[in-house]
């Protein structure tokens, strides 16, 4: 396994696009630690697959270097990088049996036959296909075929990293959860460096130790699920993670307060360090907005209350700005309501980036 260093990577798909300044990856300068489980999360078109293909060697970046530990692999083929890849659609040999498919990458690498038998038997058990070991892959379901693809990636012990590109897309919803837990378990046991592309936040947050949030060709934050929830570094992270996402209220900063369309909200850490000309927003998650009787906070207009089973979501407006709050109790929502913000959960953003406290 290896530490993967992405050293000032930029990528444009053609010289014309580069000249026009249209980069699929604008600048990525980060490292994935040896043995870490990372998810690349972001909306369609943000550059996840481009970055994964640069790590695997399917694509050479326009600028920058890829290093596996201390070795520069930027110009090496995927084979020479010694990585395993699992794609959206299963890549297996239909005419081979399940066991032969799993044995194939090991045979290619001249692993001794006895070891192949042991490893294949172990993997068959892990992916729950022992009973079908000697069946041709052709007749299997999409789920089963994708399990073989996963197994073929995981059966090798010599790989530098395993890369997954939306591997659960074709999997039945109830199986997704099971396979994700299985992957997590395998990661714990073997501590392999895993990079997993998805646009599904549940998938990313449950699989990864660290989630790499991408937006418009950039990595906007790498953090644990808690960090992304509690301190989103960029407004996109606040909006994208969580349901509903973080409230973002356009504001100006004035003597230690955030002023949202005339409503003053005290900032716990005093004046945020905002420069003249920056666009400022106050961010607060709906979980930390309390709906209170008039007089306790800032006045809001409640538009509706949505019951989503485990909780209720209040949709309101603060001087015209949309505001959501999550209610975890059965208390009635007063007609004349105020919103009270938990001071420690208030974040100020300047030009979309978090203004650090202090
Ligand atoms: P998705 O979730 O839809 O797969 P993604 O986050 O993986 O999206 P990429 O596929 O990496 O995004 O695409 C990033 C940008 O690069 C997009 O604007 C896309 O249109 C562009 N792009 C991707 N592949 C090519 C290509 N072969 N030629 C030109 N532009 C491309």
């Amino acid at each position: 396994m290896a530490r993967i260093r992405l050293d000032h990577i930029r990528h444009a798909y053609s010289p014309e696009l580069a000249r026009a300044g249209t980069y699929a990856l604008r600048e990525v300068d980060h490292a994935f630690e040896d043995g870490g489980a990372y998810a690349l999360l972001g909306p369609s078109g943000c550059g996840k697959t481009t970055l994964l293909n640069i790590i695997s060697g399917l694509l050479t970046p326009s600028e920058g270097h890829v290093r596996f530990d201390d070795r520069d692999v930027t110009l090496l083929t995927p084979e020479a990088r010694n990585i395993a890849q699992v794609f959206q659609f299963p890549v297996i040999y239909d005419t081979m049996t399940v066991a032969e498919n799993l044995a194939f990458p090991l045979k290619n690498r001249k692993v001794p036959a006895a070891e192949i038998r042991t490893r294949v038997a172990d993997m068959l058990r892990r992916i729950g296909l022992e009973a079908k070991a000697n069946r041709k892959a052709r007749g299997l379901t999409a789920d089963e075929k994708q399990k073989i693809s996963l197994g073929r990636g995981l059966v090798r012990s010599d790989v530098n990293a395993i890369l997954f590109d939306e591997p659960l897309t074709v999997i039945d919803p109830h199986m997704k959860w099971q396979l994700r837990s299985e992957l997590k378990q395998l990661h714990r046991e073997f501590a392999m460096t895993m990079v997993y592309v998805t646009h599904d936040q549940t998938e990313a947050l449950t699989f990864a130790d660290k989630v790499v949030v991408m937006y418009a060709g950039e990595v906007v934050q790498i953090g644990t699920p808690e960090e992304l929830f509690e301190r989103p570094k960029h407004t996109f992270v606040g909006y994208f993670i969580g349901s509903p996402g973080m409230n973002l209220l356009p504001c100006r900063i004035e003597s230690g307060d955030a002023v949202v369309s005339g409503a003053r909200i005290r900032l716990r850490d005093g004046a945020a360090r905002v420069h003249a000309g920056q666009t400022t927003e106050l961010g607060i998650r709906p979980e930390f907005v309390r709906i209170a009787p008039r007089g306790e906070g800032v006045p809001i207009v409640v538009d509706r209350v949505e019951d989503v089973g485990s909780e209720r979501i209040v949709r309101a407006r603060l001087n015209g700005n949309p505001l959501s709050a999550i209610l975890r109790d059965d208390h009635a929502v007063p007609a004349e309501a105020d919103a009270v913000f938990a001071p420690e959960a208030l974040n100020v953003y300047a030009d979309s980036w978090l203004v650090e406290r202090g």
Side-chain angles (χ1 to χ4, degrees), residues 13 17 24 42-51 166 197 199:
Y13 274 95
L17 287 168
S44 185
C46 71
K48 305 180 294 291
T49 300
T50 304
L51 187 57
E166 308 242 12
V197 162
H199 60 263

Side-chain angles (χ1 to χ4, degrees), residues 142-347:
D143 285 5
E144 290 167 335
K145 287 185 179 180
Q146 191 61 324
K147 282 184 174 185
I148 301 173
S149 280
L150 291 173
R152 277 163 46 114
L154 296 164
V155 79
R156 290 168 56 191
S157 60
D158 62 335
V159 291
N160 280 317
I162 305 188
L163 310 180
F164 303 90
D165 195 352
E166 308 242 12
L168 302 185
T169 310
V170 295
I171 303 289
D172 236 35
H174 75 279
M175 282 292 304
K176 276 190 186 187
W177 191 84
Q178 193 198 320
L179 271 183
R180 220 163 42 217
S181 318
E182 191 75 34
L183 267 182
K184 188 106 195 126
Q185 184 57 32
L186 285 163
H187 177 258
R188 271 193 215 109
E189 275 178 44
F190 299 123
M192 294 162 166
T193 312
M194 291 186 175
V195 183
Y196 185 110
V197 162
T198 178
H199 60 263
D200 178 332
Q201 62 159 297
T202 314
E203 220 164 284
L205 298 176
T206 50
F207 166 78
D209 306 329
K210 290 266 176 87
V211 180
V212 179
V213 185
M214 296 188 67
Y215 176 62
E218 266 187 309
V219 171
V220 283
Q221 187 167 2
I222 300 183
T224 61
E226 293 72 31
E227 285 163 352
L228 300 181
F229 185 79
E230 284 166 16
R231 297 285 287 163
K233 288 234 157 61
H234 189 275
T235 50
F236 176 75
V237 180
Y239 152 82
F240 197 65
I241 306 276
S243 178
M246 179 178 253
N247 293 296
L248 288 162
L249 305 162
C251 69
R252 73 194 145 76
I253 306 297
E254 208 177 84
S255 35
D257 293 341
V259 186
V260 179
S261 307
R264 298 188 85 89
I265 296 144
R266 192 82 197 145
L267 296 174
R268 192 177 63 162
D269 301 297
R273 279 164 292 137
V274 170
H275 302 292
Q278 286 185 311
T279 303
T280 46
E281 290 161 283
L282 183 66
I284 181 135
R285 292 219 174 260
E287 287 80 354
F288 303 111
V289 179
R290 185 167 63 82
I291 304 297
R294 185 60 45 94
E296 291 191 21
V298 288
I300 54 169
V301 175
V302 174
D303 290 328
R304 59 185 193 280
V305 180
E306 296 166 6
D307 196 335
V308 291
S310 54
E311 58 202 22
R312 289 180 301 156
I313 301 170
V314 175
R315 304 287 187 179
R317 275 166 297 137
L318 194 177
N319 291 347
N321 302 286
L323 180 80
S324 301
I326 292 182
L327 299 178
R328 293 236 158 73
D329 53 35
D330 297 333
H331 294 166
V333 176
E336 300 237 303
D338 273 11
V340 178
F341 302 125
E344 68 284 0
L346 287 168
N347 293 316

